[in-house]
Amino acid sequence: MAAVFASTTRTQVAIVGGGPAGLMLSRLLHLAGIESVVVDNRAAETIEHTHRAGILERDSVRLLVDAGMDRVLRDGHRHDGISLRFDGVSHRIDFEELAGASCWLYPQTDVFVDLHARRTADGADLRFGIADTEVVDVETTPRVRYSDTEGARHEILADLVVGADGSRSICRDLVQGARRYFREYPFAWFGILTESAPSAPELVYTRSERGFALVSQRTEAVQRLYFQCDPAEDPAAWSDDRIWAELQARLAGEDGFHLHEGPVIERSVLPFRSFVQAPMRHGRLLLAGDAAHTVPPTGAKGLNLALADVRVLAECLERAIEGRDDSALDEYGERALARVWKAQHFSYWMTSMLHRVEGASDFDEQRQLGELAGIVGSRAGSAYLAECYTGWPR
Ligand code: PHB
């Protein structure tokens, strides 16, 4: 029996996933005169309150501004460097001096809020809070089907489908014969938001004998802090006092660094892995962002890679649609993956240089300190880090 749909919509591009990647893609397509429909099984409020990383590369900021969202320039904070902290001493890496670039502290939640407001003002077709999403016939005439909150089924017929549906992507599995490249790590990050004034003007990436810690910021009154933990750690098992004792121990040092404490208002354990799936296209389906690749958070590359993907994807989709030239669809994956693998290496490298591995030998620990000393003591080494952190040119 043929399925009966409560509604059938025709569009040029159906986008599965309404996070920053999906919404930015829909905005870029809109600017190019291409129609899209965005679906996401989460409510917009849920995405708005899911805390993620907070660093935008120079080109991510440019993309936001060029696409008509410039709040980042007013509410974001430009950071011209970071510190690497080890043996109780911080060493600043000056991005401006070494790479002629900077990055911006602007949380992913704000990026989402800006994009959501922009697309709503555009009158975009955004369908949040749906369920049972299914993507079919991606080799010929793609369709996205889902249930609304009342359980009625709907169908979207599209020329192309983009899977921007994050690390638990359903679209990824439709790419037949794809290769998956994995690396698991024996640790995770414990992340907190705390009501306390920033402890440092820039990010402090710390290697200590007790493990990694990161000092980041959000506002004048809220800090974002992380420390390496066991992946199976239960956030509820940690009292505020225990969290602060752990962070203080990891950040202690002779240089007078002072960690400001306050109430912990949010806590969670972040998964940690490196993952790439290639190719990023199968038939009329293309993947973008975390659906195709995940990086550990140490290099702050996740959101930046997703935005870089959709910038290239929008351009390739435009060529494919306007010029009826499908070779542009293959070019997308090649261009995106070139950046993805540089970011994979950088994220892996920052992770391995700064984290404690259970059972590491004395040799491994001293070698790790030697690597850090080598980087901060070398202009070339520091410049490499600065270039990677602020982002590769287009
Ligand atoms: C953050 O502020 O949440 C943040 C910053 C840098 C990272 C990861 C997370 O590498």
Side-chain angles (χ1 to χ4, degrees):
M1 195 181 81
V4 177
F5 295 99
S7 77
T8 300
T9 310
R10 264 226 139 267
T11 191
Q12 289 174 290
V13 183
I15 302 174
V16 182
L23 289 185
M24 178 60 91
L25 178 65
S26 74
R27 172 67 181 165
L28 296 174
L29 293 176
H30 172 74
L31 292 173
I34 297 170
E35 277 177 16
S36 63
V37 176
V38 178
V39 299
D40 197 302
N41 56 15
R42 299 163 298 175
E45 298 71 45
T46 307
I47 306 178
E48 201 178 316
H49 294 109
T50 306
H51 298 288
R52 292 291 189 88
I55 290 288
L56 294 180
E57 293 172 359
R58 173 189 45 189
D59 282 352
S60 298
V61 173
R62 278 191 192 150
L63 181 65
L64 267 177
V65 173
D66 290 350
M69 288 149 286
D70 63 1
R71 184 165 72 97
V72 55
L73 301 178
R74 293 187 302 281
D75 292 355
H77 294 90
R78 198 178 100 186
H79 284 192
D80 292 338
I82 58 167
S83 287
L84 291 184
R85 184 172 176 81
F86 54 96
D87 275 344
V89 179
S90 292
H91 304 262
R92 185 162 188 268
I93 309 279
D94 187 328
F95 295 162
E96 269 299 330
E97 201 218 337
L98 294 161
S102 48
C103 54
W104 289 68
L105 183 87
Y106 193 65
Q108 178 161 335
T109 41
D110 284 285
V111 173
F112 174 79
V113 166
D114 293 355
L115 279 161
H116 187 230
R118 181 70 259 164
R119 292 303 287 137
T120 302
D122 290 339
D125 189 342
L126 310 177
R127 308 182 188 181
F128 287 98
I130 52 121
D132 302 325
T133 310
E134 199 188 5
V135 179
V136 298
D137 296 340
V138 295
E139 282 161 15
T140 49
T141 49
R143 293 152 224 266
V144 177
R145 296 169 178 162
Y146 66 87
S147 303
D148 64 22
T149 44
E150 267 91 58
R153 294 295 284 168
H154 297 260
E155 185 173 58
I156 302 164
L157 313 176
D159 297 331
L160 292 152
V161 176
V162 173
D165 51 342
S167 56
R168 291 192 215 108
S169 173
I170 58 155
C171 294
R172 169 200 293 159
D173 294 338
L174 302 173
V175 180
Q176 280 164 26
R179 270 194 80 167
R180 290 183 173 177
Y181 305 83
F182 262 116
R183 187 182 172 99
E184 303 284 350
Y185 299 83
F187 40 74
W189 279 9
F190 197 113
I192 65 162
L193 280 173
T194 154
E195 272 168 3
S196 45
S199 301
E202 295 171 345
L203 274 64
V204 184
Y205 286 84
T206 306
R207 182 246 180 233
S208 85
E209 279 170 16
R210 299 179 67 88
F212 173 81
L214 173 61
V215 176
S216 182
Q217 305 81 16
R218 282 298 178 263
T219 65
E220 291 314 305
V222 175
Q223 298 187 86
R224 180 79 165 143
L225 305 170
Y226 300 94
F227 59 92
Q228 174 185 349
C229 69
D230 190 283
E233 199 62 76
D234 173 14
W238 286 69
S239 66
D240 284 19
D241 284 350
R242 185 171 168 217
I243 291 172
W244 287 116
E246 192 58 48
L247 280 163
Q248 292 288 5
R250 295 190 191 196
L251 287 153
E254 302 129 33
D255 64 352
F257 180 86
H258 181 63
L259 181 66
H260 298 155
E261 296 187 13
V264 175
I265 52 176
E266 223 265 347
R267 64 184 68 197
S268 58
V269 170
L270 285 74
F272 221 90
R273 65 176 190 156
S274 299
F275 167 73
V276 177
Q277 174 169 308
M280 292 169 73
R281 172 192 173 197
H282 181 68
R284 318 292 299 158
L285 168 72
L286 300 107
L287 303 176
D290 278 1
H293 43 73
T294 311
V295 286
T298 324
K301 287 285 170 241
L303 173 58
N304 292 294
L305 277 183
L307 293 175
D309 275 0
V310 299
R311 193 187 58 74
V312 176
L313 181 54
E315 189 192 310
C316 293
L317 289 177
E318 195 182 339
R319 276 176 31 219
I321 290 169
E322 316 264 288
R324 306 194 172 276
D325 166 19
D326 276 3
S327 67
L329 299 180
D330 284 323
E331 188 189 312
Y332 160 63
E334 284 162 31
R335 283 170 63 188
L337 284 166
R339 174 181 293 261
V340 165
W341 279 112
K342 283 188 228 169
Q344 287 292 355
H345 170 67
F346 177 63
S347 307
Y348 161 84
W349 176 60
M350 286 283 279
T351 300
S352 67
M353 188 161 65
L354 291 159
H355 286 70
R356 195 180 104 86
V357 177
E358 200 58 45
S361 65
D362 292 350
F363 174 87
D364 293 335
E365 289 187 5
Q366 293 305 315
R367 188 208 56 76
Q368 197 181 40
L369 286 166
E371 184 173 18
L372 283 160
I375 292 299
V376 302
S378 151
R379 188 178 172 89
S382 300
Y384 174 71
L385 196 157
E387 282 166 15
C388 295
Y389 201 96
T390 54
W392 301 276
R394 291 177 179 180

